[in-house]
Amino acid sequence: MLEIPWTEKYRPKNFDDIVSQNIAINNLREFVKNTNIPHLIFTGPAGTGKTSTALIIARHFLKEEELDTNLLELNASDTVRIDFVRDILKNFVNQSFTKNGSLKFVLLDEADNIPGQVQQALRRIIEKTSDNIKFILLCNYINRIIDPIVSRCAVFRFTSLPKKKIIDRLKYITEKENLKIPSNKSEQFFNQIYFISGGDLRKAINTLQMAVALELLENLDINEILRISGFLDKLTLKNLISAIKRKDFISSKEIIDAVEILDSRNFIRQLSEMLPILDLDPSKIINLRTYIGEIDYRISQGADEYIQISALLANIIEYIQI
Ligand SMILES: Nc1ncnc2c1ncn2[C@@H]1O[C@H](COP(=O)(O)OP(=O)(O)OP(=O)(O)O)[C@@H](O)[C@H]1O
Ligand SMILES: [Mg+2]
């Protein structure tokens, strides 16, 4: 099946297509009325429209045939060797220098993964480049970008998309693609995809396309969709909850071990939604939420997932009163 990914097929082509992000988009509409724009930083969670918006801005100023010469896309891994970046930029700036001094854009993806030393060098490059070169830095965490760079850019914050916006977009694609979703289950289906996406529209669209590719829509097998996305299916989750409520650590561990595809951070998100039904007293729930945040962070930083999940289960079970 050589269909192009729907995330690309439905990539927003202009500001009106961008879902949500009203504050950023409304300000950017004003910005682009002028060619004298500052360098830009778009920051926010994955799949919220940063790259799409950067491309819309570049296309706003550039003709289709100029895109090859006037738009340079670099990734954090390209910038590890700063000499390489210098060379590329030098070529980019000099190459077919446009008569009317039209703008050129450097899109720097994953800018927050660029090491600090390299960012310092980059800052000098940004300072020295002529006014017709505009940098657009994309990142998930702006606090990982050095202040001297941040202070040279206008910062726009992108936020996780709300449930309704994600579901509306999924319904739009469903309609365009002529998908048949059993109407009695459609509400549950979209809710579940939203949950899986965690506010990341790219993930939501990919999950929808995957469900179609795997022919899961006909009988609408929501449990299978959960499983392949690295979550526990409903029955497994139910069994786990009852093992936890019985304070049965061994069984809860066995249930987790038997799961074929387990994405530990997905699992943590799923489990944290279950806290209210575990009959813990509210003060304990607060402690647990703090602990869950800690475990999630440790895993994000590369801690052993198996050990962290065990620790989390043990901790929750300790708080259960029988
Ligand atoms: N705000 C949005 N409006 C419409 N579509 C969106 C939006 N955000 C994401 N999408 C969809 O998700 C895809 C990926 O979005 P995009 O590449 O802009 O995300 P991003 O914010 O750059 O994410 P990352 O941080 O992972 O690079 C788009 O092609 C589009 O289909
Ligand atoms: Mg991006």
Side-chain angles (χ1 to χ4, degrees):
M1 215 168 88
L2 280 175
E3 207 177 353
I4 58 164
W6 289 350
T7 49
E8 287 309 320
K9 188 169 173 186
Y10 295 97
R11 189 187 276 287
K13 303 280 184 303
N14 52 56
F15 286 134
D16 291 334
D17 289 345
I18 298 275
V19 173
S20 224
Q21 318 303 1
N22 294 334
I23 298 179
I25 297 301
N26 288 339
N27 284 306
L28 283 166
R29 277 185 209 273
E30 289 302 312
F31 262 60
V32 299
K33 288 181 180 162
N34 209 315
T35 51
N36 188 22
I37 58 167
H39 303 299
L40 305 170
I41 294 181
F42 296 165
T43 180
T48 51
K50 300 180 297 298
T51 301
S52 308
T53 305
L55 292 173
I56 289 170
I57 290 183
R59 282 169 187 274
H60 174 88
F61 289 105
L62 303 175
K63 301 192 189 74
E64 195 66 32
E65 64 272 16
E66 289 176 322
L67 287 174
D68 278 346
T69 49
N70 289 26
L71 172 63
L72 174 66
E73 295 185 56
L74 292 174
N75 196 284
S77 53
D78 299 325
T79 61
V80 174
R81 284 170 44 235
I82 195 71
D83 290 343
F84 171 75
V85 176
R86 273 201 197 94
D87 286 348
I88 287 201
L89 283 176
K90 218 184 273 171
N91 279 335
F92 176 66
V93 173
N94 294 333
Q95 169 202 78
S96 69
F97 200 72
T98 32
K99 334 111 230 161
N100 54 5
S102 83
L103 293 180
K104 290 190 169 214
F105 290 90
V106 181
L107 233 81
L108 215 55
D109 213 345
E110 299 171 33
D112 45 356
N113 285 332
I114 302 174
Q117 293 265 316
V118 181
Q119 289 194 32
Q120 292 291 353
L122 197 64
R123 156 208 179 171
R124 283 186 290 276
I125 294 178
I126 294 178
E127 274 169 11
K128 277 197 234 149
T129 50
S130 57
D131 281 349
N132 71 322
I133 310 283
K134 304 298 177 190
F135 283 82
I136 305 182
L137 279 67
L138 308 173
C139 65
N140 297 128
Y141 305 101
I142 191 157
N143 55 358
R144 294 191 191 154
I145 298 195
I146 59 170
D147 288 344
I149 291 187
V150 175
S151 72
R152 281 173 176 75
C153 301
V155 177
F156 292 89
R157 289 169 204 282
F158 286 63
T159 53
S160 279
L161 297 177
K163 183 172 180 178
K164 179 163 186 328
K165 300 279 182 187
I166 294 223
I167 293 184
D168 284 351
R169 189 70 175 170
L170 291 174
K171 286 184 174 164
Y172 169 81
I173 295 176
T174 302
E175 215 175 285
K176 289 269 170 201
E177 295 293 327
N178 244 322
L179 305 179
K180 303 275 172 287
I181 298 179
S183 60
N184 58 336
K185 286 191 189 169
S186 101
E187 208 55 28
Q188 193 197 358
F189 174 70
F190 287 120
N191 281 337
Q192 209 53 256
I193 295 199
Y194 168 73
F195 174 73
I196 289 171
S197 82
D200 174 342
L201 184 51
R202 181 196 292 113
K203 204 190 260 182
I205 297 174
N206 279 335
T207 307
L208 178 68
Q209 190 172 19
M210 187 173 65
V212 174
L214 296 175
E215 297 176 355
L216 298 175
L217 284 197
E218 286 76 25
N219 306 311
L220 204 52
D221 190 343
I222 287 173
N223 279 323
E224 187 60 18
I225 296 173
L226 281 169
R227 277 194 292 270
I228 53 179
S229 308
F231 289 86
L232 302 190
D233 60 55
K234 301 252 170 199
L235 181 63
T236 310
L237 186 62
K238 190 165 159 250
N239 290 339
L240 177 70
I241 297 298
S242 66
I244 290 177
K245 281 184 167 173
R246 295 195 309 272
K247 290 176 89 76
D248 184 346
F249 178 74
I250 306 280
S251 301
S252 71
K253 205 64 195 45
E254 280 169 358
I255 292 169
I256 293 297
D257 290 345
V259 174
E260 212 173 314
I261 310 172
L262 184 74
D263 177 307
S264 48
R265 297 187 71 195
N266 284 350
F267 167 65
I268 290 175
R269 199 149 58 78
Q270 217 175 2
L271 195 59
S272 67
E273 296 243 315
M274 294 297 131
L275 294 189
I277 64 160
L278 289 179
D279 307 324
L280 302 150
D281 83 55
S283 64
K284 302 255 161 82
I285 293 196
I286 290 169
N287 288 348
L288 260 181
R289 290 216 184 274
T290 313
Y291 188 66
I292 287 175
E294 216 168 278
I295 296 276
D296 184 57
Y297 176 74
R298 287 184 205 156
I299 292 177
S300 78
Q301 297 300 303
D304 185 304
E305 300 179 27
Y306 186 80
I307 293 174
Q308 296 304 321
I309 295 291
S310 297
L312 178 58
L313 289 175
N315 216 287
I316 295 182
I317 285 175
E318 204 173 314
Y319 280 128
I320 302 282
Q321 302 148 317
I322 300 192

